[in-house]
Amino acid sequence: MTISIKPLTHVINKNDNQSNNDRQHPPTPSTLDFHGASLAAAAKIMKTELAKLGSSLKDAEEHRIFNFEMDNFYMLFTRYLNEKSKGSKQNWEKIQSPSTEQIIPYASLPINSSAFDLTKLAVLKLNGGLGTTMGCVGPKSVIEVRDNMTFLDLSVRQIEYLNKKHGVSVPFILMNSFNTDEDTKRIVQKYTSHNVDIITFNQSRHPRIKKETLLPVPRSHDSPIEEWYPPGHGDMYESLYNSGLLDQLLAKGKEYLFVSNIDNLGATVDINILNYMVESGAEFIMEVTDKTKADIKGGTLIDYNGKLRLLEMAQVPDEHLEDFKSIKKFKIFNTNNLWINLRAIKRVLDEAIMDLETIVNHKTTESGEKVIQLETAAGAAIKHFKNAHGINVPRTRFLPVKSTSDLFLVTSNLYSLVHGQLIMNPKRLFSIVPLIKLGEDFKKVQGFLQRFKSIPNILDLDHLTVTGDVTFGSNVELRGTVIIVANHGERIDIPSGSVLENKVITGNLRILDH
């Protein structure tokens, strides 16, 4: 088998800028030579191993796809080696806060009800994740989140309403991973009667890497599924291109793509943002929103050498981590709601492979082996597009469900459901949602559901912390700050009809059924 691999000469470049640590403690020439030679050898060995992985493939199309994926993986791997050589941390002195021209307030956008540009729009949801974190089996998108409807149900309903209301045909695209593809294709068959054109495609499959040897874990293309991984949503661009879907969308007159996570229930099509994008000529718009203490790990937009870039926590020097988490210094974070010009994606990929910063994800397999997953973020592509900038949107456009604490919020009376969209209850006096911290006993969806006869009334709640063996009766109301702690061996049952306002509850409170 022949794999087209770019030259390795770019992997180790001794003229590259070194990290701050290297400048303070410069390696000796012998150290540089040894380190450089070792990394170059690792790249060469990886190239050979990748060729072996697909050597038994017979089908021509499968062979082409596998080669493409391994080419992209190899580029990511050599970029990782390059970063190991020179350091991947950003030069903190060059990082500046974005200007007012680079981050535009949503309130300043022209209000334009024209739906003409919807005919040029496609909507893509990132659907590669599983529901294992919340104790569920299969794609996360099929977890029920509101009124017996799943993330997927709500997303389809939103697009169906949009198409019907404006007389358009906005396609709904799902980027699956090898973990979610089979189940998703089977599930979407139930939407055949809906006014929605549903398209699915797969992102790449990359081999996990052994941490100690930097060798791929799988030994052949059909190795067990757990030896592979989906390489993050930054792979979206190449996968769109390679699948042929990018060209298909352009051929149908689609020019703009709205991308968001399937579990972000606030990420709906906004006509004002779309119309602004068309009129401004922006090729890439990232929705950002004001950071709270719950968002300190989220990536943020920065000005780096006069150009907008996405800064992730992994790229921050250790001595500046607290600055990165600061709400005062970095006031916004990335929602991963992205608006991208499709023709610009094609232009960038026709010219060269996207150079997206590598995210190193360390994992431990069930057998105890330490492995590495090399991933990229879709938002990091902002640096490749013309007139790219951010829009500071209301918090209502960022409503992710990453945990049962988030699930508690979206199933409560804080929201109502309108055409698949969650709308905050107008009776809530504050636009900021309460801070919810549910303990380990609530972590899995099944355990979470068993602990509530009904979700409490939280219209006047500011903060809720619950840990230990705690259950809630029906029609409970929570106000202000409520903290409930059941220590080991204790149990607390909150009686039905209780009203708790600015309370701390500890000890034992057992309500017996009779």
Side-chain angles (χ1 to χ4, degrees), residues 177-452:
S177 69
F178 62 86
N179 287 320
T180 63
D181 185 57
E182 186 177 336
D183 286 340
T184 300
K185 284 180 177 177
R186 186 171 63 252
I187 291 165
V188 297
Q189 292 178 17
K190 72 177 184 178
Y191 304 120
T192 52
S193 62
H194 295 249
N195 180 30
V196 181
D197 178 19
I198 301 178
I199 304 168
T200 66
F201 74 105
N202 262 16
Q203 70 174 118
S204 299
R205 185 183 73 153
H206 285 183
R208 283 178 156 179
I209 307 166
K210 297 179 181 180
K211 183 178 179 181
E212 298 300 324
T213 63
L214 296 183
L215 292 172
V217 175
R219 306 308 302 154
S220 70
H221 68 89
D222 56 355
S223 289
I225 195 170
E226 61 270 15
E227 296 183 0
W228 305 82
Y229 72 96
H233 40 64
D235 176 67
M236 171 189 72
Y237 306 100
E238 282 86 359
S239 294
L240 264 176
Y241 187 92
N242 184 51
S243 66
L245 181 55
L246 178 59
D247 286 334
Q248 292 172 29
L249 291 171
L250 290 170
K252 291 180 179 179
K254 304 303 177 183
E255 298 181 31
Y256 305 98
L257 187 68
F258 174 47
V259 180
S260 62
N261 297 334
I262 191 73
D263 63 2
N264 181 3
L265 298 177
T268 58
V269 172
D270 188 295
I271 293 179
N272 290 333
I273 297 178
L274 175 61
N275 290 339
Y276 168 78
M277 183 179 190
V278 175
E279 292 168 9
S280 67
E283 290 186 346
F284 192 109
I285 290 176
M286 176 187 290
E287 293 186 33
V288 297
T289 195
D290 291 339
K291 184 190 286 189
T292 70
K293 291 182 179 179
D295 313 308
I296 57 175
K297 294 183 179 180
T300 188
L301 282 180
I302 57 169
D303 183 308
Y304 197 81
N305 288 337
K307 199 165 186 178
L308 267 187
R309 293 179 70 165
L310 177 65
L311 177 66
E312 298 281 5
M313 191 163 72
Q315 300 166 267
V316 178
D318 292 343
E319 63 270 23
H320 293 291
L321 280 176
E322 292 307 313
D323 291 336
F324 176 79
K325 296 177 183 178
S326 168
I327 298 176
K328 293 181 180 179
K329 184 173 179 63
F330 297 105
K331 299 179 180 180
I332 57 170
F333 73 98
N334 172 26
T335 66
N336 215 38
N337 298 348
L338 310 174
W339 300 77
I340 314 168
N341 185 298
L342 287 167
R343 295 191 184 281
I345 293 176
K346 183 170 177 60
R347 184 196 71 237
V348 171
L349 291 177
D350 279 342
E351 291 174 355
I353 292 177
M354 279 191 180
D355 178 19
L356 305 184
E357 287 74 17
T358 308
I359 300 170
V360 183
N361 195 348
H362 295 273
K363 297 280 188 178
T364 302
T365 65
E366 292 183 1
S367 62
E369 184 175 26
K370 303 291 185 183
V371 298
I372 295 171
Q373 297 182 179
L374 303 179
E375 304 173 9
T376 58
I382 192 170
K383 64 184 180 181
H384 288 289
F385 292 87
K386 299 174 184 177
N387 193 22
H389 52 273
I391 294 180
N392 192 346
V393 298
R395 185 76 182 201
T396 52
R397 291 192 58 75
F398 183 69
L399 194 57
V401 180
K402 303 293 185 185
S403 66
T404 51
S405 295
D406 299 326
L407 189 61
F408 176 88
L409 281 173
V410 301
T411 53
S412 73
N413 66 333
L414 201 62
Y415 297 98
S416 57
L417 193 61
V418 180
H419 303 300
Q421 182 176 357
L422 290 180
I423 307 294
M424 184 172 284
N425 193 322
K427 294 181 180 179
R428 170 78 175 173
L429 297 179
F430 310 102
S431 59
I432 299 176
V433 299
L435 181 60
I436 309 296
K437 295 182 178 180
L438 301 180
E440 285 294 316
D441 294 78
F442 293 78
K443 188 175 181 180
K444 307 300 183 184
V445 171
Q446 185 176 1
F448 167 85
L449 295 173
Q450 290 173 347
R451 293 185 176 276
F452 294 97

